[in-house]
């Protein structure tokens, strides 16, 4: 496979290098792209140094089989034609095309086959909080239809990119040193704080991130489920957590739910309250699966179930999910 990574210097781009190697992805040639900021920089992949090329409107993508793009929605929109014109499949991490009717939005554990129908040669990787939520929801949807979801997210700083992660470190240092705190990547100081806003507000009072969870969940799951989300930035470095409440068509017992999560694809059950065992972001950064714990019956609704999930949003929420899509295309001989 001739593979390209666009946005190689970023948090997600760097994760692509690790995930492709870790999973023995069949890479014959790897091309890395960035803006003028990182062009010329070198990264090592499988012992070989590769120089970042400047992303331009030229023929650099001729012969490329798969392009993993994670350079923001504006860049994806501007360069989609350049990237796909010679047949490369573009697996895009940005929000640029996710809700377009002719672009599949794919989480392999849920709707892998949607990736086969891609008239524009583009497959969208969903929003990171949505990816990890639908992996968990699928296990229950297999038992009975989920009608409603209430979710509160606890999203790590790195969800806003590599520079945001550095900013959080620096803010803690500045606070402890008694220095003025510099705020650039977030609306407010994040160190020792929580910020109940991710992305911009929309007309209905929800943020764009919250509306992504509503719209993308329905598209991925092919479902009429309604999702009401509150997305919060927390001063964790990596891995998003979510407190999820679902209402199902018929009641689901704790035992049934535990069994479903324990055997659900891409899930690990970590639910042992007596031993204080439950998922936490600090300990799950860099892991592939989505972890589920704190499973309880809802006390206010017989058909309600509540649980807590944690997933590494740079890995399963971005790079890993995209690579799994590519692996699926290879498995069903739909590419290469
Ligand atoms: N971080 C997450 O947890 C996460 C999860 C899911 C999806 N995503 C999505 O993935 C994308 C990247 O996120 P990130 O967190 O990796 O951000 P990041 O750390 O800020 O990295 C951004 C990357 O985009 C590149 N880039 C920006 N403008 C470019 C241009 N005009 N041409 C070529 N490359 C350009 C940058 O290259 P230079 O350094 O050369 O400018 C850099 O490699 C975003 O769309 C984001 O929404 C992020």
């Amino acid at each position: 496979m001739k593979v390209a990574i666009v946005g190689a210097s970023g948090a997600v781009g760097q994760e692509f290098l690790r995930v492709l190697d870790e999973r023995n992805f069949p890479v014959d040639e790897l091309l890395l792209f960035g803006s003028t900021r990182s062009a010329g920089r070198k990264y090592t992949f499988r012992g070989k140094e590769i120089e970042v090329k400047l992303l331009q409107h030229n023929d650099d993508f001729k012969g490329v089989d798969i392009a993993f793009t994670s350079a923001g929605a504006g860049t994806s929109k501007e360069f989609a034609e350049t990237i796909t014109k010679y047949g490369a499949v573009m697996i895009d991490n940005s929000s640029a095309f996710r809700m377009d009717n002719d672009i599949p939005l794919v989480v392999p554990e849920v709707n892998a086959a949607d990736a086969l129908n891609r008239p524009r040669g583009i497959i969208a990787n969903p929003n990171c909080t949505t990816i990890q939520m639908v992996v968990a929801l699928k296990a229950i949807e297999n038992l009975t239809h989920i009608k409603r979801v209430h979710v509160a997210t606890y999203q790590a700083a790195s969800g806003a990119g590599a520079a945001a992660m550095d900013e959080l470190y620096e803010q803690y240092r500045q606070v402890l040193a008694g220095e003025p705190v510099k705020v650039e990547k977030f609306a407010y100081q994040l160190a020792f704080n929580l910020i109940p806003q991710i992305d911009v507000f929309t007309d209905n009072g929800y943020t764009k991130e919250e509306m992504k969870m509503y719209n993308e969940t329905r598209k991925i799951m092919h479902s009429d489920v309604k999702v009401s989300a509150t997305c919060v930035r927390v001063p964790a470095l990596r891995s998003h957590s979510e407190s999820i409440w679902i209402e199902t068509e018929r009641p689901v017992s704790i035992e049934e739910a535990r069994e479903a999560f324990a055997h659900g694809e891409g899930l690990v059950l970590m639910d042992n309250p007596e031993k204080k065992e439950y998922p936490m972001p600090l300990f799950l950064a860099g892991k592939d699966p989505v972890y589920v714990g704190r499973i309880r019956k809802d006390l206010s609704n017989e058909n309600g179930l509540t649980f807590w999930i944690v997933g590494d949003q740079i890995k399963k929420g971005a790079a890993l999910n995209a690579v799994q899509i590519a692996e699926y295309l290879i498995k069903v001989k739909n590419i290469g």
Side-chain angles (χ1 to χ4, degrees), residues 6-14 33-39 41 43 52-56 69-76 78-79 92-96 98 125-129 131 156-164 185 212 233 240 312-315 317-319:
V6 177
S9 69
V12 177
Q14 289 294 296
F33 292 92
S35 75
T36 46
R37 283 179 294 262
S38 65
R41 213 181 278 171
Y43 293 105
V52 177
K53 289 177 153 211
L54 180 65
L55 182 65
Q56 297 176 85
T69 52
S70 63
T75 308
S76 290
E78 187 191 335
F79 287 92
D92 184 41
N93 270 282
S94 81
S95 58
R98 287 179 189 150
N125 217 38
N127 160 266
C128 49
T129 40
I131 292 180
S158 55
K185 286 283 163 186
K212 284 175 195 169
R233 186 74 69 194
H240 289 348
D312 184 325
Q313 92 289 346
I314 306 181
K315 213 165 188 197

Side-chain angles (χ1 to χ4, degrees), residues 6 35 54 79 114 117 190 199 212 217 228 241 243 259 262 304 308-309 314 335:
V6 177
S35 75
L54 180 65
F79 287 92
D114 286 1
N117 183 15
L190 184 61
D199 212 328
K212 284 175 195 169
T217 301
S228 190
S241 309
S243 175
E259 185 73 6
W308 169 258
I309 64 169
I314 306 181
I335 198 171

